[in-house]
């Protein structure tokens, strides 16, 4: 796969940010060729036609740096990634922190996101999740209910499930 990808990058795939990003992400997901992956992700970020720093390639760089045990550089890459993140990408990042049991860090992240995106359904959903895992169920319920009021219809069943779960635990 890596040899094939290297061949692809010698063609038109190298002229867009996506080609180097895709092979770097493949290496990250398969925990292989991480030093080369770092070179490719840097290429995705800064060289070639359409190269651009964005949440996808910057967060991939951060994760590669974490796997290479370079935490200071990873932290810097995460900060840049979050500067380029959409509201939903920020929400996903915070949710991943919760999945990693980094609950206090998730709380700080969701608070910062709520300052950037005040009073949106996702900011309230994130704060609800952070308060829930940090043990403040009353605040979690309040934020989940505020989120439910503004959420798109397809998200309401999941929020209602969370609300019911929190109510049962109070």
């Amino acid at each position: 796969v890596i040899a094939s990808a290297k061949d692809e990058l010698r063609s038109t795939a190298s002229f867009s940010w996506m080609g180097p990003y895709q092979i770097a992400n493949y290496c990250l997901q398969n925990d292989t060729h991480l030093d080369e992956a770092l070179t490719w992700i840097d290429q995705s970020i800064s060289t070639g036609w359409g190269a651009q720093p964005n949440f996808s390639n910057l967060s991939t760089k951060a994760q590669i740096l974490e796997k290479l045990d370079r935490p200071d550089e990873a932290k810097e890459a995460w900060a840049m990634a979050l500067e380029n993140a959409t509201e939903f990408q920020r929400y996903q990042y915070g949710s991943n922190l919760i999945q990693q049991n980094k609950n206090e860090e998730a709380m700080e992240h969701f608070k910062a996101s709520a300052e950037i995106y005040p009073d949106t359904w996702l900011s309230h959903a994130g704060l609800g999740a952070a308060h829930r895992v940090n043990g403040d169920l009353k605040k979690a319920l309040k934020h989940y209910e505020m989120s439910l009021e503004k959420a798109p219809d397809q998200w309401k069943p999941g929020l209602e499930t969370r609300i019911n779960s929190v109510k049962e635990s109070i």
Side-chain angles (χ1 to χ4, degrees):
V1 172
I2 300 299
S4 175
K6 286 180 180 180
D7 284 342
E8 274 294 308
L9 290 176
R10 289 186 190 106
S11 70
T12 57
S14 66
F15 295 115
S16 165
W17 72 272
M18 285 294 293
Y21 162 75
Q22 288 172 332
I23 185 58
N25 194 50
Y26 172 86
C27 292
L28 171 64
Q29 299 307 315
N30 291 282
D31 204 13
T32 186
H33 295 80
L34 294 175
D35 288 318
E36 285 180 286
L38 189 56
T39 300
W40 290 319
I41 204 63
D42 283 338
Q43 181 182 356
S44 170
I45 293 166
S46 62
T47 61
W49 177 82
Q52 60 186 22
N54 58 53
F55 182 79
S56 296
N57 55 24
L58 290 166
S59 64
T60 297
K61 180 176 183 169
Q63 292 172 77
I64 291 168
L65 289 166
E66 288 172 345
K67 284 194 174 191
L68 290 171
D69 197 27
R70 293 163 61 176
D72 293 338
E73 293 171 85
K75 185 176 181 178
E76 184 178 317
W78 274 120
M80 289 189 306
L82 290 169
E83 287 176 12
N84 287 276
T86 64
E87 182 181 13
F88 189 74
Q89 289 166 328
R90 291 183 68 85
Y91 176 81
Q92 288 178 310
Y93 175 79
S95 296
N96 288 338
L97 290 173
I98 289 172
Q99 289 174 358
Q100 297 168 28
N101 292 316
K102 297 178 179 179
N103 297 339
E104 290 179 24
E105 191 176 339
M107 176 63 79
E108 293 308 311
H109 170 74
F110 282 125
K111 284 179 180 178
S113 290
E115 288 180 19
I116 296 168
Y117 300 103
D119 205 30
T120 66
W121 78 272
L122 268 179
S123 66
H124 287 295
L127 287 168
H131 284 297
R132 180 180 47 82
V133 298
N134 282 293
D136 192 337
L137 298 181
K138 289 182 180 181
K139 283 187 181 178
L141 180 60
K142 177 185 115 183
H143 283 289
Y144 281 143
E145 288 175 338
M146 292 171 77
S147 179
L148 181 63
E149 290 176 15
K150 298 177 181 199
D153 289 341
Q154 69 265 26
W155 291 90
K156 289 184 178 185
L159 287 166
E160 289 168 347
T161 299
R162 289 184 185 134
I163 288 168
N164 291 333
S165 175
V166 169
K167 283 180 178 179
E168 291 173 5
S169 298
I170 292 179

